[in-house]
Amino acid sequence: MERFSPTTALWKKLSLFDRTVGAIAIVLVLLIAVVLLRGNQSPLMVTQYSWRNTNIGAQTQALTMTFNHPVDPDVMESGLVIDPPLAGKTIWQGRRWFYTLTDIPRYGTNYQLTLPLPAMVRGPRGQDFTSLITSRARALAYIGVAGEERGRLILYNITNPQQPQKIILTPKDLTVRQFQIYPQGDRLIFTATDPTRRGGQQNIFTVATGINNLNTQTKVLPGKLERLWEDQDYDNQRIALAANGSMLVIARENAQNSADSGLWVAPSGENPRPLGIRAEKFIVGPNGNFLAVGQEGGVGLIPLIPEAGAPHFLEAMEQALDFSADGKQLLLSQQNPDFSHSLIVYDLQERTQREVLRGPYPLISCRFDPRSQPRAYCLQADFIQREGEPVQPEPYLAVINLTDGQARPLLALPNYPEVDLTVAPDGLGLMFDQVATGPTLGSHDLLTNSQRSIVDGRVWLLPLPGDLATETDADPDPQELTAGFAPRWMP
């Protein structure tokens, strides 16, 4: 006799469709239970990697990696190898790993990253993660002085010293006066005498370099030119660009009324507006927050955005020399009542100042070392009197420890009173120029800051391989790179 079951009776009452759906649901529940009991069988993988398709440089702050499974941070950190070494410190947020760099990548270098991926408890071992990391090219831009290069912007890639690559970026009919570089190195902005404007007035242009540090799909050929702010009334004499490209400051003068002159500011993507300030010498902070201008009796700190606070005046300062890379400190020179000269470090957050050193020689220019070491490279002027000649300033290059004020002379630069100095973004090289000058001949001449005509010029590289901390370290030897002047390292 068939035994009665309520479940059997209910099942028989269901339609064929309902019974089919129920059977499928039971099978799916069983499969899910099996997966949960066995665990995820997929191997450990890196699902997100921030250095893919990019060239790392001084602006690179951190590497981030995300994994598809929870991992043991100690195991992952002990397994990471970067060759050559690239120091950093780590932070974890769940499955995401932040490797924050404490060193600046060496430019023109390939790094090999290797990360062994251990097997999961219930899964197969994954394939080790590897990546070839490319740093930015070791390159510079300068203004040419000879032949077809004269007065034109030149891009010079020296990543391979045996086969340097040179590209002329600007046309023959523009005589470049001054230029600055955008943070990705893809564009230069410059002032140039323009043959379409009367009286040798200067306009502002941008030109593409062809460099693509972000490896985006957009390809722009070098030399693509764009004229900015067509305004026939003003002569654009000098420019200063924030290191992050957010703010441009322009010294302009009305061609019809010289009393109408001063500084104008142009935030990224906007037209220039006047600041109502006159200044011969000025520098803009790397974040576009502050403008430091030389004024009568000192140096003025002018906020360019509301968050920067109120203006501030630093009395008795001669000139602003350089902002630190993070924009928190400012180097200044000061002439003292006893006619000595001081190097001052000013803290923009605390609004405090500290004298680093005091000596008899004027400071011509100074640049922070971009590395973590608290030091600066400065041009100082010694005064030399040779027989039968008047006293002449003779610059020399020194490295200065900003903690204890110890200075070490590196290189004398005789017979060249005007020198342009720039430090490599990785801190491993310093460039300067030496120019020969003569009387000014015309409005299209290449000119120094003192308005003397440039007859010839040479760009020199001074390698900085060591820490230059002690007098026992060997002095580096300068290397002549090319004919030109006003060199700038590409960021």
Side-chain angles (χ1 to χ4, degrees):
M1 178 191 240
E2 185 179 358
R3 187 173 179 180
F4 176 77
S5 170
T7 303
T8 304
L10 178 61
W11 181 260
K12 290 181 177 180
K13 289 181 181 181
L14 296 175
S15 66
L16 178 61
F17 175 78
D18 291 336
R19 281 182 284 178
T20 302
V21 171
I24 294 173
I26 292 170
V27 172
L28 290 175
V29 169
L30 292 174
L31 290 174
I32 292 172
V34 170
V35 171
L36 292 175
L37 289 173
R38 294 187 63 192
N40 191 338
Q41 300 297 299
S42 64
L44 180 62
M45 298 173 57
V46 176
T47 58
Q48 182 271 336
Y49 177 68
S50 64
W51 284 358
R52 183 173 284 114
N53 296 329
T54 189
N55 295 329
I56 62 174
Q59 301 163 25
T60 305
Q61 297 181 341
L63 161 67
T64 62
M65 286 186 282
T66 305
F67 302 92
N68 62 334
H69 294 296
V71 295
D72 184 336
D74 292 336
V75 171
M76 304 308 291
E77 291 174 22
S78 63
L80 178 68
V81 174
I82 301 178
D83 184 33
L86 192 55
K89 55 185 179 181
T90 65
I91 299 175
W92 288 87
Q93 291 183 357
R95 301 178 185 181
R96 178 171 290 185
W97 183 7
F98 295 86
Y99 186 78
T100 303
L101 297 183
T102 55
D103 279 346
I104 298 175
R106 186 185 182 102
Y107 278 47
T109 301
N110 291 329
Y111 291 88
Q112 180 68 45
L113 182 147
T114 304
L115 180 64
L117 297 179
M120 305 305 294
V121 175
R122 294 188 178 90
R125 176 181 172 82
Q127 185 176 1
D128 290 349
F129 181 78
T130 62
S131 175
L132 180 64
I133 306 162
T134 303
S135 66
R136 293 188 175 187
R138 193 167 177 80
L140 60 138
Y142 65 91
I143 303 174
V145 295
E148 66 171 2
E149 295 183 6
R150 186 169 179 82
R152 302 168 75 179
L153 276 176
I154 314 296
L155 178 65
Y156 198 42
N157 188 332
I158 58 171
T159 301
N160 183 351
Q162 281 70 44
Q163 293 182 328
Q165 299 174 331
K166 183 182 294 187
I167 300 175
I168 300 177
L169 297 175
T170 53
K172 293 181 179 180
D173 59 351
L174 296 179
T175 301
V176 177
R177 298 297 192 195
Q178 184 191 10
F179 71 97
Q180 303 274 284
I181 307 173
Y182 280 94
Q184 294 303 331
D186 58 332
R187 290 179 299 155
L188 309 181
I189 186 167
F190 63 96
T191 62
T193 54
D194 186 345
T196 67
R197 303 185 67 179
R198 58 184 179 272
Q201 289 173 230
Q202 299 177 66
N203 205 354
I204 299 177
F205 302 81
T206 63
V207 65
T209 62
I211 291 175
N212 188 17
N213 281 313
L214 295 180
N215 287 343
T216 60
Q217 297 301 313
T218 303
K219 295 290 185 181
V220 179
L221 294 177
K224 182 180 179 181
L225 200 70
E226 181 182 357
R227 186 196 308 267
L228 301 182
W229 308 308
E230 184 64 46
D231 190 338
Q232 296 290 342
D233 292 333
Y234 284 93
D235 182 27
N236 300 282
Q237 298 172 334
R238 289 176 301 282
I239 56 174
L241 180 69
N244 67 359
S246 65
M247 194 74 66
L248 179 71
V249 179
I250 313 163
R252 311 178 94 187
E253 180 177 302
N254 193 313
Q256 308 302 318
N257 179 12
S258 59
D260 178 14
S261 64
L263 300 183
W264 295 53
V265 62
S268 180
E270 299 182 19
N271 291 326
R273 56 179 173 80
L275 282 177
I277 300 170
R278 292 188 181 187
E280 291 293 325
K281 296 182 179 179
F282 56 93
I283 57 175
V284 61
N287 302 318
N289 296 347
F290 284 100
L291 175 69
V293 298
Q295 298 177 315
E296 185 177 355
V299 169
L301 287 176
I302 313 301
L304 298 179
I305 60 173
E307 295 81 4
H312 193 56
F313 186 72
L314 303 175
E315 295 183 4
M317 298 297 171
E318 289 181 291
Q319 62 175 323
L321 300 169
D322 193 26
F323 282 95
S324 61
D326 58 11
K328 295 179 180 179
Q329 293 183 318
L330 174 65
L331 285 177
L332 304 114
S333 63
Q334 174 180 277
Q335 184 170 6
N336 304 305
D338 61 358
F339 300 105
S340 64
H341 300 266
S342 297
L343 178 64
I344 304 294
V345 175
Y346 181 79
D347 189 306
L348 281 90
Q349 294 180 322
E350 302 295 331
R351 295 203 167 183
T352 57
Q353 65 187 55
R354 174 173 58 89
E355 183 181 67
V356 174
L357 64 82
R358 178 179 294 209
Y361 305 123
L363 291 152
I364 301 172
S365 65
C366 285
R367 298 289 181 266
F368 276 103
D369 190 322
R371 294 170 286 186
S372 58
Q373 294 92 338
R375 66 187 175 203
Y377 299 98
C378 294
L379 281 171
Q380 296 182 270
D382 194 358
F383 289 95
I384 304 296
Q385 184 170 22
R386 296 180 174 86
E387 186 176 352
E389 298 180 2
V391 175
Q392 295 286 342
E394 186 171 282
Y396 69 93
L397 176 66
V399 57
I400 298 173
N401 186 312
L402 298 179
T403 300
D404 58 19
Q406 293 297 311
R408 175 188 172 187
L410 292 177
L411 185 68
L413 301 170
N415 304 319
Y416 294 97
E418 296 189 59
V419 179
D420 210 332
L421 181 70
T422 177
V423 182
D426 59 7
L428 296 178
L430 184 150
M431 272 193 310
F432 61 93
D433 62 5
Q434 292 184 315
V435 296
T437 62
T440 302
L441 300 177
S443 60
H444 291 279
D445 269 8
L446 300 176
L447 302 175
T448 66
N449 291 332
S450 62
Q451 300 302 299
R452 289 185 61 81
S453 179
I454 295 174
V455 178
D456 194 11
R458 291 292 181 270
V459 175
W460 293 80
L461 168 65
L462 187 70
L464 301 172
D467 61 12
L468 300 173
T470 66
E471 292 290 344
T472 58
D473 293 334
D475 288 337
D477 292 324
Q479 306 166 8
E480 183 177 339
L481 287 181
T482 186
F485 75 103
R488 298 285 183 273
W489 286 102
M490 297 298 291

